[in-house]
Amino acid sequence: QITLKESGPTLVKPTQTLTLTCTFSGFSLSTSGVGVNWIRQTPGKALEWLGIIYWDDDKRYSPSLKNRLNITKDTSKNQVVLTMTNMGPVDTGTYYCAHRGIVTVFGIVIQGGWFDPWGPGTLVTVSS
Amino acid sequence: EIVLTQSPGTLSLSPGDRATLSCRANESVSRSQLAWYQQKPGQAPRLLIYGASSRATGIPDRFTGSGSATDFTLTISRLEPEDFAVYHCQQYDYSPMTFGQGTRLEIK
């Protein structure tokens, strides 16, 4: 069974850097094809994909936030870390990590761009 | 980026009714790379459908996804009390992956 859980500060001040950790179990980030995504849900933009880190340390980021984001992994600890710089009030919301979708068809493993499962999320408020 | 527009914004129905939710893309989503999620208050989204029409593990068969290119539909054949929630569509054909703004399914 795959599970993920986000952790980190609930309150950050404007201009500060946010660091969130996703701790997971039930899979290894050293297995070919595996990826962990970060997604957030804010009142202004609903659900927004932030980025993904793959088993081979390749990373992809949302173009609109690329300059502020960094995603790293610690395979030995089963953790993925998201850092987001220069936080502002519009960044207030719930941050989720989610496993890259995977399905097995006739014994063949197919990785997809959907998200399954998700962690429970962590609410981050940006305020002075 | 691909913009997904969900309609209606809110759908008011009764248990036992049939629900039809729409998700339209401003560009063609090839290979039906579209997913649907259900989200209940205080919870993370849960995958219902991937590949436009494939049900995720454990999802009841009253949930059906259909469509292609720019028009996709999620149909719930007979609403159960636990189905009243917010539903999101998501495309994963192009980067960045994007979501619709959601449809709230409420009890009439």
Side-chain angles (χ1 to χ4, degrees), chain A residues 2-4 22 24-37 51-60 71 73 75 78-80 98-103 109-114 116-117:
Chain A
I2 292 174
T3 64
L4 308 95
C22 174
F24 57 84
S25 64
F27 67 94
S28 171
L29 243 184
S30 59
T31 300
S32 179
V34 173
V36 172
N37 295 271
I52 182 172
I53 187 165
Y54 293 98
W55 82 101
D56 60 357
D57 211 37
D58 190 20
K59 304 163 194 179
R60 295 286 186 267
I71 301 175
K73 63 182 175 71
T75 304
N78 282 352
Q79 290 182 334
V80 170
H99 181 264
R100 184 187 185 197
I102 181 173
V103 64
V109 175
I110 300 172
Q111 305 276 2
W114 61 91
D116 181 46

Side-chain angles (χ1 to χ4, degrees), chain A residues 4-111:
Chain A
L4 308 95
K5 187 173 184 179
E6 308 84 354
S7 59
T10 58
L11 180 66
V12 297
K13 290 180 167 51
T15 75
Q16 286 188 336
T17 294
L18 171 69
T19 300
L20 295 175
T21 299
C22 174
T23 303
F24 57 84
S25 64
F27 67 94
S28 171
L29 243 184
S30 59
T31 300
S32 179
V34 173
V36 172
N37 295 271
W38 284 97
I39 301 141
R40 69 179 180 180
Q41 189 166 29
T42 62
K45 292 196 75 173
L47 286 165
E48 181 180 19
W49 175 76
L50 302 179
I52 182 172
I53 187 165
Y54 293 98
W55 82 101
D56 60 357
D57 211 37
D58 190 20
K59 304 163 194 179
R60 295 286 186 267
Y61 299 106
S62 169
S64 63
L65 294 167
K66 182 176 183 178
N67 293 337
R68 299 174 53 204
L69 294 175
N70 188 38
I71 301 175
T72 60
K73 63 182 175 71
D74 186 330
T75 304
S76 64
K77 292 183 179 179
N78 282 352
Q79 290 182 334
V80 170
V81 175
L82 171 78
T83 58
M84 180 180 290
T85 61
N86 193 26
M87 293 289 285
V90 297
D91 297 312
T92 292
T94 299
Y95 287 73
Y96 299 97
C97 58
H99 181 264
R100 184 187 185 197
I102 181 173
V103 64
T104 301
V105 180
F106 301 116
I108 300 173
V109 175
I110 300 172
Q111 305 276 2

Side-chain angles (χ1 to χ4, degrees), chain B:
Chain B
E1 68 181 44
I2 290 190
V3 176
L4 299 178
T5 302
Q6 292 186 242
S7 61
T10 301
L11 186 57
S12 299
L13 294 170
S14 301
D17 287 348
R18 178 186 186 91
T20 303
L21 288 67
S22 173
C23 176
R24 288 191 169 174
N26 66 336
E27 296 179 39
S28 181
V29 176
S30 61
R31 296 170 292 165
S32 297
Q33 298 205 74
L34 188 116
W36 288 93
Y37 302 86
Q38 177 192 68
Q39 186 177 26
K40 297 180 179 180
Q43 296 183 16
R46 176 178 72 140
L47 177 71
L48 298 175
I49 301 287
Y50 62 93
S53 61
S54 297
R55 271 186 296 273
T57 302
I59 301 303
D61 60 7
R62 64 179 182 272
F63 291 90
T64 301
S66 62
S68 62
T70 59
D71 288 299
F72 298 89
T73 300
L74 176 69
T75 303
I76 312 171
S77 58
R78 295 171 310 279
L79 286 167
E80 298 286 344
E82 62 267 27
D83 297 337
F84 292 91
V86 177
Y87 292 83
H88 307 274
C89 60
Q90 175 235 338
Q91 67 80 23
Y92 49 94
D93 190 19
Y94 295 96
S95 184
M97 292 176 272
T98 52
F99 293 85
Q101 82 280 14
T103 289
R104 180 178 304 277
L105 179 56
E106 63 176 27
I107 299 177
K108 187 174 183 180

